[in-house]
Amino acid sequence: MKNKSLTFRIFINTFLVGTLVYFICSFMFFGNLYTHFEEQIFNELESESIFLEDYVLNCDLQKLQNLKTKNRITLIHNDGSVYFDNTVSFEKMENHALRSEFLGAKDKGISKISRYSSTMTEKTLYFAKLLSNGDVLRISCNQHSVWVLVLGMSQILLLLLVIAVIISGISASWISKKIVHPLNSINLDEPESSDVYEELKPFTKRIAEENFEKAQREEIRAQYTANVSHELKTPLTSISGFAEILMQGGTDPKITEDFSKSIYDEAQRMTTLVNDIIKLSKLDEKSIAMEKEALSLRSICREVMEVLSASAKNKNLSLNLEGDSGLINGVEPVIYEMIYNLVDNAIKYNKIDGSVKIKIQELQNSAGARDKVILTVSDTGIGIPDSERERIFERFYRIDKSRSRSLGGTGLGLSIVKHAAKYHNASVLVTSEEGKGSTFTVVFEL
């Protein structure tokens, strides 16, 4: 049944349950019916004993012998010896002192006992009663066992079984289809609009969430493709235009030099863009081949400050580093790229004569062990409007597109920061005040 459909499984289980219930009810019915008949027979034997008691006490055994009855009547003295039996010669009968019905009558006044025959197809019912003279009157009769009763009704039972199987089959088929119908009717495009069982609502909610996430991913992918195309098309158009003019010849050396520089700048911009896209793709796919190692954030920050010192000097910015060594376990190129982008943005979008402050803190838990390492990059730049703060980590998103392009930005820097942090199970927080500066905080959980 491993590969069977849900409808079939519900059908077969419902059908089997219905059939099982039929057999259980049948056995209970015949068992109770047989017990009822047996009790009725004992009641009849008891009534007969009351009628026969007068004959025994009056010692009228001849009338007792001539009495027409299908039941066996036996009289037993107080010592267990038999002195009368209406079916066999009592002289040949053994002493009944140890018979259970005799002992029961002596003890409680009356006794009801049943014993099966050797073939189990018949049993004998014994009713014994203690008389006022101390003797015991025993009346017995034969009764077919319940199996004989069942065998005698086999035809009607077989007919009832066929009817029960048909009803169970029809009911099971209807129930299975009724149960499965809401499942087959789920609208996978809008699952939460489907009328389903309460137990399935978490499932439909999950599908709806996945559909929403899928739509978002598709929208991001389409937007990403459009942005990449646009970002590549702009420098390519410039390169193509300048190159076409140069091919025609006749330009003076100064124009040729300017055009060549523009071509070089646009080519460098394309190279930077492609490199950033490759970095993001590797972070997305977690396909970075390098293993994590023990790193000092302070050491990496010093390297970044040395590389960007010229850019900071051009705007007369002060670069400051303070705090702990910030030992973490990470991939050095990825951590370097993350810090580089944070510091580079802090310089690009800063004001003349401003400052960039880098701070590293190591926090400890209650047991005294290092718990977190926090890297903070603060600037005194233009700040980020509240309405734009949620979108700054999106790919190719720029608050001021013209300003970003003039500064050489690709719109991928903060996306790289976000993915690099995620790759190291770290989180990025942003606080900013427009016109006064921004602070980016990266929290590494150790």
Side-chain angles (χ1 to χ4, degrees), residues 422-434:
K422 185 178 179 182
Y423 187 83
H424 289 85
N425 297 320
S427 55
V428 184
L429 307 174
V430 184
T431 57
S432 182
E433 188 174 351
E434 197 169 359

Side-chain angles (χ1 to χ4, degrees), residues 51 135 439:
F51 172 75
D135 293 343
T439 299

Side-chain angles (χ1 to χ4, degrees), residues 275-291:
N275 286 337
D276 284 350
I277 292 171
I278 292 171
K279 290 170 190 173
L280 268 177
S281 298
K282 287 183 177 180
L283 288 170
D284 274 344
E285 298 168 6
K286 295 189 177 180
S287 59
I288 298 172
M290 298 179 67
E291 294 184 1

Side-chain angles (χ1 to χ4, degrees), residues 56-301:
V56 177
L57 294 178
N58 294 326
C59 299
D60 200 350
L61 299 182
Q62 186 60 41
K63 288 185 178 180
L64 198 63
Q65 181 69 45
N66 296 331
L67 194 67
K68 293 182 179 180
T69 177
K70 293 181 180 180
N71 299 330
R72 183 179 178 180
I73 303 171
T74 306
L75 295 175
I76 309 168
H77 281 306
N78 190 41
D79 60 357
S81 60
V82 179
Y83 68 91
F84 177 82
D85 193 282
N86 67 338
T87 57
V88 296
S89 177
F90 67 87
E91 292 88 353
K92 298 179 181 180
M93 297 178 66
E94 61 181 8
N95 190 286
H96 282 37
L98 298 179
R99 293 289 183 96
S100 57
E101 63 271 16
F102 176 79
L103 294 173
K106 294 282 287 181
D107 183 40
K108 298 179 180 179
I110 61 171
S111 175
K112 299 176 182 179
I113 301 294
S114 62
R115 282 194 289 271
Y116 279 97
S117 66
S118 58
T119 60
M120 299 296 289
T121 59
E122 192 175 62
K123 69 176 181 178
T124 304
L125 305 181
Y126 296 95
F127 178 84
K129 180 179 181 180
L130 180 64
L131 302 178
S132 58
N133 62 1
D135 293 343
V136 172
L137 169 63
R138 187 186 73 177
I139 306 174
S140 62
C141 67
N142 293 329
Q143 181 189 25
H144 290 302
S145 68
V146 68
W147 302 111
V148 176
L149 178 63
V150 171
L151 186 63
M153 298 183 66
S154 58
Q155 290 184 346
I156 187 66
L157 287 175
L158 187 61
L159 177 62
L160 290 174
L161 176 61
V162 172
I163 294 173
V165 167
I166 294 173
I167 294 174
S168 296
I170 295 172
S171 301
S173 177
W174 181 81
I175 291 171
S176 61
K177 291 177 181 177
K178 189 75 174 176
I179 292 175
V180 174
H181 177 71
L183 301 178
N184 293 331
S185 302
I186 294 176
N187 184 349
L188 295 179
D189 293 327
E190 297 179 4
E192 289 189 308
S193 66
S194 304
D195 185 17
V196 296
Y197 303 117
E198 193 67 29
E199 294 80 1
L200 287 176
K201 287 187 177 179
F203 173 69
T204 54
K205 183 179 179 181
R206 179 67 182 273
I207 295 177
E209 289 172 353
E210 289 183 355
N211 287 346
F212 179 72
E213 290 173 3
K214 183 180 178 181
Q216 279 193 320
R217 286 196 300 269
E218 183 61 27
E219 183 180 349
I220 291 172
R221 186 197 64 79
Q223 187 177 359
Y224 180 69
T225 303
N227 286 333
V228 170
S229 301
H230 176 75
E231 294 293 335
L232 290 174
K233 184 177 180 181
T234 302
L236 281 174
T237 302
S238 299
I239 291 171
S240 178
F242 291 137
E244 186 179 356
I245 294 172
L246 292 175
M247 284 175 61
Q248 293 174 357
T251 56
D252 58 59
K254 181 66 172 67
I255 294 177
T256 301
E257 183 182 349
D258 291 342
F259 282 6
S260 298
K261 184 179 183 305
S262 296
I263 291 172
Y264 175 80
D265 291 342
E266 293 295 338
Q268 289 299 108
R269 180 181 162 195
M270 284 184 62
T271 302
T272 302
L273 178 62
V274 171
N275 286 337
D276 284 350
I277 292 171
I278 292 171
K279 290 170 190 173
L280 268 177
S281 298
K282 287 183 177 180
L283 288 170
D284 274 344
E285 298 168 6
K286 295 189 177 180
S287 59
I288 298 172
M290 298 179 67
E291 294 184 1
K292 292 182 179 180
E293 56 183 325
L295 302 174
S296 168
L297 291 181
R298 189 179 184 87
S299 177
I300 296 174
C301 286

Side-chain angles (χ1 to χ4, degrees), residues 292-316:
K292 292 182 179 180
E293 56 183 325
L295 302 174
S296 168
L297 291 181
R298 189 179 184 87
S299 177
I300 296 174
C301 286
R302 282 203 193 97
E303 292 179 27
V304 171
M305 289 171 66
E306 288 178 10
V307 173
L308 295 174
S309 60
S311 299
K313 190 175 181 181
N314 290 337
K315 300 182 74 170
N316 197 28

